[in-house]
Amino acid sequence: VVDMDELDQRHRVVVIGAGFGGLFATKALKRADVDVTLINGTTHHLFQPLLYQVATGILSEGEIAVPIREILGKQRNARVLLGWVDHVDVAARTVTATAPGLSYTVEYDTLIVAAGASQSYFGNDKFAEFAPGMKSIDDALELRGRIFNAFEMAELETDPAAIERWLTFVVVGAGATGVEMAGQIAELAHRTLPGQYRRINPKQARVILLDALDRVLPAFGDHLSTQGLRQLHRIGVEVELETKVVDVDATGIEVDTKSGHRRIESMTKMWAAGVAAPGLSRQIAEAAGAETDRAGRIKVEPDCTVPGHPEIFAVGDMMALDQLPGVAQVAIQSGRYAARQVKRRLAHEGPDKPFHYFDKGSMATISRFSAVASIGKFRFAGLLAWFLWLGVHLLYLVGFKNRLTTVLHWTVSFIGRGRSERVATVQQIFARTALKETGDTGGPAPSGPPKRLS
Amino acid sequence: VVDMDELDQRHRVVVIGAGFGGLFATKALKRADVDVTLINGTTHHLFQPLLYQVATGILSEGEIAVPIREILGKQRNARVLLGWVDHVDVAARTVTATAPGLSYTVEYDTLIVAAGASQSYFGNDKFAEFAPGMKSIDDALELRGRIFNAFEMAELETDPAAIERWLTFVVVGAGATGVEMAGQIAELAHRTLPGQYRRINPKQARVILLDALDRVLPAFGDHLSTQGLRQLHRIGVEVELETKVVDVDATGIEVDTKSGHRRIESMTKMWAAGVAAPGLSRQIAEAAGAETDRAGRIKVEPDCTVPGHPEIFAVGDMMALDQLPGVAQVAIQSGRYAARQVKRRLAHEGPDKPFHYFDKGSMATISRFSAVASIGKFRFAGLLAWFLWLGVHLLYLVGFKNRLTTVLHWTVSFIGRGRSERVATVQQIFARTALKETGDTGGPAPSGPPKRLS
């Protein structure tokens, strides 16, 4: 362990990332005699589990992305810096980050690496353009624009095949994120949009959920997989299992199934299939002589430290430990664990027990009034699970920040049929801000002569 | 006038633009025996007077941008098409519009042109990059990102001159929009952000409001100009009048004043100084043999029609008539007037009285609890005017759509100190979506070696 007595200044903790792991580690150091520097690539802490609700117009981005400075404003031993961490020098104990137009270096005595995970296309990064992931506010706003614009474009098309292409939505990956996304697009098409179009019927939209595995929601166990599948079918989602994506382009997606190769024509695809640790993870592992797993996560000691570097903790989605799932609770608990170790060391309390993940359970909504939840030995499906989901999220939101607007938006969407946040920007529609009154749309040029819409 | 008896089908009205003019014209045709096609470049109707509240983090974009389809869903004689109108063929009576990847043509019997106004840089379009305007959701989100990021960048800088540049905000144009914008940035700096930074003090931010004229809020008359100026001074806005902008670049703005030429160092500039009709206005005027005024608006007959073309109405910011101001009420009333003429003609009722604008008054907020209002012969300033502003907007919002979330967000900002909608996307911060875990920030490259932040 680090000898604290060598230091003639306050112990400096640098935390990389303000997701669940980094934020909760920082908060847990509130009363510690340390200086904390939290570095993040955006100015907000993102409540990622509700990202799909921004992508489908239920919530505004501000409701799930809270300014880090607002959360930590009163924590006087913490400072927040905007920056994208490029490099950790494990020998010099410095972190280098880039902000627009400048870069900077900060020194650490203890480093907590909590940079999360990014979407993985399993080596096919070119898919990203055609099938955005579901990890950031950027992703959610991009998908929101694509989903709502698809209905607009269908309304303008005259060719039946083109209309069908615009009204086919493909979600890749049937874990919680993919299931929730597919469910909400189906609700949008069946409950919110009907009556608002004149030429198309939004109810004819197809929502296809693909997965390479043989079940949906595999992490929830056999019983809830079956229940989840039944609920998805009931709201009209087409689930195609044992289906592997081999290519994605602007107008469709190519898949291999048991019965052979097939193409699905679809303008709107989204990717919720895999995650990988950011490049920073490998950089740190290499510099520290540590190993990474297949997803690029650092193989840590039982106390979440990088082997040979007790001063570096990797937490949440950046640590490979006991095959723990990539969920918020793992990040929160490991972040807090790391903070506790820092405090123990400063108090010379000696080594703690290894990190132990306490599984509080998991849940996924499928549509309004319908969810699955797994808590301890108990399995819930349907309405009861949905109320559990609602209760847990209301509790969390009230503790986190008093978010009455969120409750109102849920009322609008779940009791009513509305979606309060449907804005697509001109940039999203026409692919470029430069569009003003010039008629220069910047987007794809019209192909062929003008269609006559009578 | 048009002879309706020639037609063997329902009278076709095409409305260009879903701003106040176009939307209210369409709604006024609800019970008319016509088919209305409303074409707009975005999918939302924008409540432009509150755009500054999105730009300063008070409201979400969904709260001021409502889906046109939601508003018109139940109006069965109206259809909505996404598209940017490039061309009107006044002889063939067709409108051609562009959507992403396709263009289309629709025929009209009556055309109502209500495409609004865009920002005018008085021939200096290159200013737009450095000083975005205040006309669209794109503009508001762009400014929101720039304003909040400026404080982040100031926190990272070590050079005092650079910090000052980041903490200097310049608003060009002291009409209602500019005044409201300047006031809200001052409130942000003085009420919301203090306590959230460690190296800078947000209270040291300077907000400079420039105008070429010798007074603020000229449309409100002498008394309220003086009151407005006093209120601006009280909240710390520096007002520089008789100051003409001659150049704008990335790091500052060059002005000519009575005492000579001067440069203001500022990273964050915004433009609320002038408007011009879109290029479409001149295209229609030329084709119809009509004249335009200096701002490019079509000089219309007293009944809002284009001379020689009784079947074409130009309303709101696209018509030049009686030097009417470019405000929502002019657009609403002229849009409704045009709709009424269509109905009168179909009923063979003969010509109506010329369009007469009924001035319901105008108001501008300066900060919370402080505004100016001019209603009939009455002038109000301060708290009373602010409550008038609040009352009118609450009434409007309740009539328009039940927007409880807006009231909550106002409570957070005006009673509390919060700003609920502060999100900047990674794209906004780093100028490119491509930034993922690669460390390729896409933005301006760091200049010089990393700064050491201790």
Side-chain angles (χ1 to χ4, degrees):
Chain A
V1 296
V2 189
D3 183 358
M4 299 299 161
D5 298 328
E6 282 176 15
L7 306 168
D8 57 351
Q9 61 175 120
R10 250 151 76 109
H11 190 79
R12 295 162 302 180
V13 180
V14 171
V15 180
I16 303 175
F20 287 110
L23 181 67
F24 280 80
T26 304
K27 285 171 72 166
L29 290 168
K30 186 168 186 173
R31 287 187 185 78
D33 189 27
V34 296
D35 285 322
V36 187
T37 299
L38 175 56
I39 305 176
N40 198 56
T42 68
T43 59
H44 54 259
H45 165 68
L46 178 62
F47 190 67
Q48 240 181 30
L50 290 177
L51 210 48
Y52 75 97
Q53 295 202 357
V54 171
T56 54
I58 297 172
L59 299 180
S60 74
E61 59 269 32
E63 287 171 313
I64 65 162
V66 184
I68 308 163
R69 296 192 182 284
E70 205 169 282
I71 303 171
L72 297 176
K74 293 208 169 71
Q75 185 172 335
R76 300 305 302 178
N77 72 347
R79 67 170 172 177
V80 180
L81 300 179
L82 174 68
W84 207 264
V85 174
D86 307 307
H87 189 79
V88 173
D89 186 328
V90 299
R93 297 191 179 173
T94 60
V95 166
T96 303
T98 301
L102 62 86
S103 67
Y104 59 87
T105 293
V106 286
E107 296 177 356
Y108 64 82
D109 299 309
T110 296
L111 179 67
I112 300 177
V113 188
S118 47
Q119 208 75 62
S120 169
Y121 290 86
F122 308 119
N124 294 296
D125 286 351
K126 77 179 183 77
F127 293 0
E129 180 187 349
F130 308 114
M134 281 290 291
K135 300 303 277 181
S136 66
I137 287 286
D138 291 64
D139 290 339
L141 296 180
E142 175 65 27
L143 283 172
R144 181 171 87 186
R146 291 190 189 202
I147 292 165
F148 285 101
N149 284 340
F151 291 94
E152 297 298 322
M153 294 306 298
E155 180 82 348
L156 292 178
E157 281 289 354
T158 45
D159 170 22
I163 293 173
E164 207 183 311
R165 238 184 348 251
W166 280 115
L167 290 182
T168 301
F169 299 84
V170 179
V171 180
V172 181
T177 303
V179 164
E180 290 177 318
M181 193 72 192
Q184 283 309 322
I185 299 172
E187 291 241 306
L188 197 61
H190 293 113
R191 294 187 68 244
T192 304
L193 298 180
Q196 300 190 3
Y197 292 81
R198 299 293 177 258
R199 305 175 77 237
I200 59 161
N201 178 359
K203 287 188 184 174
Q204 285 171 356
R206 293 174 65 198
V207 182
I208 302 172
L209 179 63
L210 304 179
D211 205 293
L213 296 182
D214 65 350
R215 68 193 63 194
V216 302
L217 299 168
F220 287 75
D222 284 357
H223 174 66
L224 292 183
S225 280
T226 311
Q227 290 291 327
L229 184 64
R230 193 171 300 165
Q231 293 178 26
L232 284 165
H233 282 151
R234 200 165 52 219
I235 58 168
V237 174
E238 301 171 36
V239 182
E240 305 198 9
L241 299 169
E242 297 179 81
T243 299
K244 201 170 166 297
V245 173
V246 293
D247 200 13
V248 187
D249 57 41
T251 60
I253 187 162
E254 309 264 337
V255 294
D256 277 344
T257 68
K258 276 186 300 184
S259 50
H261 183 85
R262 197 158 69 84
R263 179 179 173 83
I264 304 168
E265 294 282 317
S266 162
M267 297 300 282
T268 315
K269 290 83 63 182
M270 49 219 90
W271 195 266
V275 294
L280 183 67
S281 180
R282 284 181 210 276
Q283 188 265 306
I284 294 172
E286 267 170 41
E291 285 175 55
T292 52
D293 71 0
R294 241 195 243 173
R297 296 177 298 194
I298 303 170
K299 293 189 178 172
V300 293
E301 302 285 356
D303 66 351
C304 301
T305 58
V306 175
H309 286 272
E311 79 284 9
I312 306 180
F313 293 86
V315 302
D317 281 342
M318 289 198 74
M319 70 175 182
L321 181 69
D322 303 339
Q323 306 206 286
L324 289 170
V327 297
Q329 277 299 326
V330 169
I332 290 172
Q333 293 176 28
S334 57
R336 283 179 170 157
Y337 178 88
R340 197 160 58 240
Q341 302 323 302
V342 173
K343 289 192 280 189
R344 287 181 68 92
R345 290 174 189 178
L346 287 169
H348 302 283
E349 288 179 3
D352 198 3
K353 290 176 295 195
F355 172 63
H356 171 74
Y357 169 55
F358 174 68
D359 185 357
K360 294 186 175 178
S362 42
M363 35 184 62
T365 47
I366 285 151
S367 63
R368 62 170 198 149
F369 307 151
S370 152
V372 294
S374 160
I375 297 164
K377 289 179 298 194
F378 303 101
R379 306 280 173 271
F380 306 94
L383 187 63
L384 179 59
W386 190 80
F387 276 108
L388 275 173
W389 172 86
L390 188 67
V392 166
H393 282 78
L394 287 180
L395 270 180
Y396 178 86
L397 288 167
V398 168
F400 186 54
K401 197 173 179 203
N402 195 351
R403 287 274 174 202
L404 267 176
T405 60
T406 303
V407 176
L408 284 171
H409 280 151
W410 283 347
T411 308
V412 166
S413 296
F414 300 142
I415 311 284
R417 296 162 177 274
R419 300 280 166 132
S420 306
E421 297 285 339
R422 279 166 62 173
V423 172
T425 61
V426 173
Q427 181 175 26
Q428 283 179 326
I429 299 172
F430 290 99
R432 214 173 85 190
T433 21
L435 174 69
K436 294 288 175 193
E437 80 284 10
T438 58
D440 169 14
T441 58
S447 52
K451 294 170 192 291
R452 227 183 107 141
L453 301 184
S454 60
Chain B
V1 297
V2 190
D3 183 357
M4 299 299 161
D5 298 328
E6 282 176 13
L7 305 168
D8 57 351
Q9 62 176 116
R10 249 153 74 110
H11 190 78
R12 295 162 302 179
V13 180
V14 170
V15 180
I16 303 175
F20 287 109
L23 181 68
F24 280 80
T26 304
K27 286 173 72 166
L29 290 168
K30 186 166 185 174
R31 289 189 183 79
D33 189 26
V34 296
D35 285 322
V36 187
T37 299
L38 176 56
I39 305 176
N40 198 56
T42 68
T43 59
H44 54 258
H45 165 68
L46 178 62
F47 190 66
Q48 240 180 31
L50 290 177
L51 209 48
Y52 75 97
Q53 295 202 357
V54 171
T56 53
I58 297 171
L59 299 180
S60 74
E61 58 268 34
E63 287 171 313
I64 65 161
V66 184
I68 308 162
R69 298 193 180 283
E70 205 170 280
I71 303 171
L72 298 176
K74 293 208 168 70
Q75 185 172 334
R76 299 307 301 178
N77 72 347
R79 66 169 172 176
V80 180
L81 300 179
L82 174 68
W84 207 264
V85 174
D86 306 308
H87 189 80
V88 173
D89 186 330
V90 299
R93 296 191 180 174
T94 59
V95 166
T96 303
T98 302
L102 62 85
S103 67
Y104 58 86
T105 292
V106 287
E107 296 176 357
Y108 64 82
D109 300 309
T110 296
L111 178 66
I112 299 176
V113 188
S118 47
Q119 207 75 62
S120 168
Y121 290 86
F122 308 118
N124 294 295
D125 287 352
K126 77 176 183 77
F127 293 179
E129 180 187 351
F130 308 113
M134 282 290 291
K135 299 304 278 181
S136 66
I137 287 287
D138 291 65
D139 290 338
L141 296 180
E142 176 65 27
L143 284 173
R144 182 172 87 187
R146 291 189 189 203
I147 291 165
F148 285 101
N149 284 341
F151 291 94
E152 296 299 323
M153 293 307 297
E155 179 82 348
L156 292 177
E157 280 289 355
T158 45
D159 170 21
I163 293 172
E164 207 183 311
R165 237 182 350 251
W166 281 115
L167 290 181
T168 302
F169 299 85
V170 179
V171 180
V172 181
T177 303
V179 165
E180 290 176 319
M181 193 73 192
Q184 283 308 322
I185 298 172
E187 292 241 307
L188 198 61
H190 293 115
R191 294 187 67 244
T192 303
L193 299 181
Q196 300 189 3
Y197 292 81
R198 300 292 177 258
R199 305 174 77 237
I200 60 162
N201 178 1
K203 286 187 184 175
Q204 285 171 355
R206 294 175 64 197
V207 183
I208 302 171
L209 179 62
L210 304 179
D211 204 293
L213 296 182
D214 64 350
R215 67 194 64 193
V216 303
L217 299 169
F220 287 75
D222 284 355
H223 175 66
L224 292 184
S225 281
T226 311
Q227 290 292 325
L229 184 63
R230 194 171 302 164
Q231 292 177 26
L232 284 165
H233 282 152
R234 201 165 49 221
I235 58 169
V237 174
E238 301 171 36
V239 182
E240 305 198 9
L241 299 169
E242 297 178 82
T243 298
K244 202 170 166 296
V245 173
V246 292
D247 200 13
V248 187
D249 57 41
T251 60
I253 187 161
E254 310 263 336
V255 295
D256 277 344
T257 67
K258 278 185 299 183
S259 51
H261 183 86
R262 197 158 70 84
R263 178 179 175 83
I264 304 167
E265 294 283 317
S266 162
M267 297 300 283
T268 316
K269 289 83 63 182
M270 50 218 90
W271 195 266
V275 295
L280 182 67
S281 180
R282 284 180 208 278
Q283 188 264 306
I284 294 171
E286 267 171 41
E291 285 174 56
T292 52
D293 70 0
R294 241 194 243 174
R297 297 176 298 192
I298 303 171
K299 292 188 178 173
V300 294
E301 302 284 356
D303 66 350
C304 301
T305 58
V306 175
H309 287 270
E311 78 283 8
I312 305 180
F313 293 86
V315 302
D317 281 340
M318 288 198 72
M319 70 175 183
L321 181 69
D322 302 339
Q323 306 205 288
L324 290 170
V327 297
Q329 277 299 327
V330 169
I332 290 171
Q333 293 176 27
S334 57
R336 283 179 169 157
Y337 178 89
R340 198 160 59 239
Q341 304 322 302
V342 173
K343 289 192 280 189
R344 288 181 68 92
R345 290 174 189 178
L346 288 169
H348 302 283
E349 287 180 2
D352 197 1
K353 290 175 295 196
F355 172 63
H356 172 74
Y357 169 54
F358 174 67
D359 185 357
K360 293 187 176 177
S362 42
M363 35 184 62
T365 47
I366 284 151
S367 63
R368 62 171 199 148
F369 307 150
S370 152
V372 293
S374 160
I375 298 165
K377 288 179 297 193
F378 302 100
R379 306 280 173 272
F380 306 93
L383 187 63
L384 179 59
W386 191 80
F387 276 109
L388 276 172
W389 172 88
L390 188 68
V392 166
H393 283 79
L394 287 179
L395 271 179
Y396 179 87
L397 288 166
V398 170
F400 186 56
K401 197 173 180 202
N402 194 351
R403 287 272 172 203
L404 268 177
T405 60
T406 304
V407 176
L408 283 171
H409 280 151
W410 284 347
T411 308
V412 166
S413 296
F414 300 143
I415 312 286
R417 296 162 177 275
R419 300 281 166 133
S420 306
E421 297 286 340
R422 279 165 61 171
V423 172
T425 62
V426 174
Q427 182 176 25
Q428 282 179 326
I429 299 172
F430 289 100
R432 214 173 84 190
T433 20
L435 174 67
K436 295 285 175 194
E437 80 283 11
T438 57
D440 171 13
T441 57
S447 53
K451 292 170 195 292
R452 228 183 105 142
L453 300 184
S454 57

